Amino acid sequence: MPARSIEQIRNLCKRRGFIFPGSAAYGGLGSFWDYGPLGVEMLGHIKRAWWRNVVYERDDMEGLDGAIITSRKVWQHSGHEATFSDPLVDCKKCRARHRADHLTSNVCPKCGSTDLTPPRSFNLMFQSHVGPVAAEVGTDEELASRVYLRPETAQTIFMNFKHVQATLRRKVPFGVAQIGKAFRNEITPGNFIFRTREFEQMEIEFFIKPPQFVKDGEKTDEQWHEEWISQRYNWWLSLGVDPSRLRKRAQDKAELAHYAKATTDLEYLFPDFGWGEVEGVANRTDFDLSAHSRDIPEADLARLKLEKNADSTETFDYFDPEAKARYIPWVIEPSAGVTRAMLTFLCEAYHEELVKEPTPAEVDPLKVEIDSAIKNAQKKAKEAEKLRAESRVPSPGSTADKAAGDAAPGTRDTGPKHDPVAIADFVAKLEEMKGRLPASLLEIDNLLEEHPGAQNLEPVKKLKPKVNKLAEDCVRVVLRLHPTLAPIKVAIFPLKKNEPAIVDIGRRITKQLAPFMRVQYDDSAGIGRLYRRQDEIGTPFCITVDFQTLEDNTVTLRERDSMAQSRVKIDDLKHMLMQRLHLA
RNA sequence: GCGGGUGUAGCUCAGUGGUAGAGCAUCACGUUGCCAACGUGAUGGUCGUGGGUUCGAGUCCCAUCACCCGCUCCA
């Protein structure tokens, strides 16, 4: 079972050195995060895995690393300066928020009020200025020096289309990959690192023939689009994401960005907030390359709803030697978030497992308490039922309803605090799980914590810490990360830290493996605790140097997921680990 | 930005106006023959921040910041 909540992941990330809140000593800065020693390793692994897959393993791709700070002109002509901002109005009465450009009149569609705030514009791009002089906002001088932190890496790829094509002598179809930071002043960041204002992208612009030049037997833009969707989908699966939690979803026409003919999102089923986009594969047509080009024919400008570009000095076209024609290529864009990928892999890898069977002496008292909790819950359910029946008598408009009368439906239930239906469901589940103790210990722990029917019940409050304590004693947290993604690859322990011969060998193995993989030597606790620590950060292998090592030069190799142990010759360690970690 | 909630040690929390605490974690020493062992000791907090009330504020008031949950956002 993967993570039950983002909170679990956030805690683990902070506690074990993956991710810390940014600017923490000064109270933090919203939506900015610092990646710690383990986080930076994992980000690096994600990026390398992606780069290997889309650049090294293909024969039609090149790489690029463009500047983050980009001329304002780029974003004017890409359409971002005009489009990448949302004029918003708030309804003062019901507090709903609407896009001003989606309202047909000056009336709130939710409550009908006309008491709306004036539209306020949120440009999603961070801006700065090149040069030391600060000019007054909006003046020609200010606009001349204004630059934007790129909101997507894509545009620097478009700017370099001809450079890459010419210097690497590429023929269409080919693509350019880029990994780098992007910045968006999001109105609503949140869900930990899912949506942040500074994030990292992995983007490809794959240049293909425009439809009118595609010959029989060649792939159309739609076929290329499909192919990239499945390519990218498979990449996520190859790194351990379960297909039941990854889906492809084609965007509706209304959802499409200003540049796209079609977009399919890859969505992961996150805890707490459900399906969330982790990658978008867009068919951007020839929109961007045309937008940045001078000398585009009127017909094409009209088709793409573009203005004539008088600023650009280039035309981003391509001479196709086979077709003997010059054209502006179309573009398929697979675009994923690195930081979002990290959250995805962490959620997917997070597991809690019962590794120790609680004894009957520990479980039996729990059963007694569960029985009394069930009895109490049933009593509360009956009382609530009765209360509900009575409260139906006074009609809406009574004093109790007045205060909540204007609230949107579902915001506050002023009725009895117990919901008989929820309690009945809770009781049924608890009964069933009780029958499966001790195996169901974790499920009960979760049920007491999460189930709506369990809230506000006194015996449950008493029961919860006891179940939780026992669960903690019997559980291990393990990140079942794909070995490629694990921040630490191998941990090395001496079975007895006061035995110089054992310690020496442990340190020697550490030094021997260090140039090839991230290793961690640890002698600061008993062997069991050392294993658990590594499980929690997803280290695939642990090596223990023991007394037998002194006799036959073998060590214990312990595998994370199965906890199985085997003996391996020290001389074979490096080779074997390289193989099993996919490093060789 | 608006509404609701939260903020005390790395973590989980106790502390209702009178000398800042517990458990876990971390570190040191000893002990320990493979899955969160034990003993002894130690480190660690201007109680989110700033202001106010008070002889005295973790506690009461105001402001502010951050996080969480909602509000058409998309990597």
Side-chain angles (χ1 to χ4, degrees), chain A residues 475-541:
Chain A
V475 85
R476 74 161 180 159
V477 172
V478 53
L479 285 188
R480 295 192 163 171
L481 288 170
H482 190 283
T484 298
L485 302 177
I488 308 289
K489 303 301 185 188
V490 180
I492 296 116
F493 314 136
L495 186 59
K496 192 161 154 40
K497 69 173 164 181
N498 294 331
E499 196 70 38
I502 287 180
V503 169
D504 280 354
I505 294 173
R507 293 206 179 272
R508 210 163 66 222
I509 293 172
T510 305
K511 212 168 173 183
Q512 179 203 337
L513 295 176
F516 306 98
M517 59 197 76
R518 191 80 177 124
V519 293
Q520 203 173 68
Y521 176 85
D522 196 350
D523 65 0
S524 66
I527 191 72
R529 182 185 300 268
L530 294 178
Y531 284 145
R532 294 300 168 83
R533 274 187 195 157
Q534 296 299 330
D535 287 342
E536 209 180 13
I537 60 171
T539 304
F541 297 106

Side-chain angles (χ1 to χ4, degrees), chain A residues 74 233 250 266 374 409 438 472 568:
Chain A
V74 172
Y233 183 82
L266 303 184
I374 287 174
E472 270 184 26
V568 179

Side-chain angles (χ1 to χ4, degrees), chain A residues 11 14-15 58 89 118 160 172 180 187 201 226 242 254 318 323-325 330 340 362 402 450 470 476 491 510 544 579:
Chain A
N11 286 341
K14 188 177 174 196
R15 196 156 37 83
R58 298 181 62 104
V89 295
N160 286 286
V172 169
I187 302 163
Q201 293 188 306
E226 279 307 314
D242 190 283
Y318 166 80
K324 295 199 171 39
W330 279 37
R340 223 171 241 195
E362 291 167 314
K402 233 175 206 166
E450 309 275 335
L470 186 56
R476 74 161 180 159
T510 305
T544 303
Q579 292 284 329

Side-chain angles (χ1 to χ4, degrees), chain A residues 32 289 294 358 423 508:
Chain A
F32 296 91
L289 289 180
R294 57 186 295 168
I423 291 181
R508 210 163 66 222

Side-chain angles (χ1 to χ4, degrees), chain A residues 98-146:
Chain A
H98 308 281
R99 286 266 296 267
D101 51 336
H102 288 191
L103 292 179
T104 48
S105 64
N106 198 28
V107 179
C108 174
K110 192 164 172 186
C111 70
S113 166
T114 53
D115 193 7
L116 305 176
T117 61
R120 284 166 296 171
S121 180
F122 288 77
N123 194 301
L124 268 50
M125 288 192 289
F126 283 97
Q127 50 177 272
S128 186
H129 296 89
V130 169
V133 180
E136 205 176 315
V137 176
T139 60
D140 288 348
E141 193 187 355
E142 187 268 333
L143 290 173
S145 68
R146 189 194 289 180

Side-chain angles (χ1 to χ4, degrees), chain A residues 48 149 157 159 185 200 208 224 252 372 414 476 527 562:
Chain A
R48 272 191 293 280
L149 273 62
I157 298 181
M159 297 313 294
N185 207 349
E200 199 161 22
I208 55 173
W224 275 114
D252 304 335
S372 79
T414 50
R476 74 161 180 159
I527 191 72
S562 64

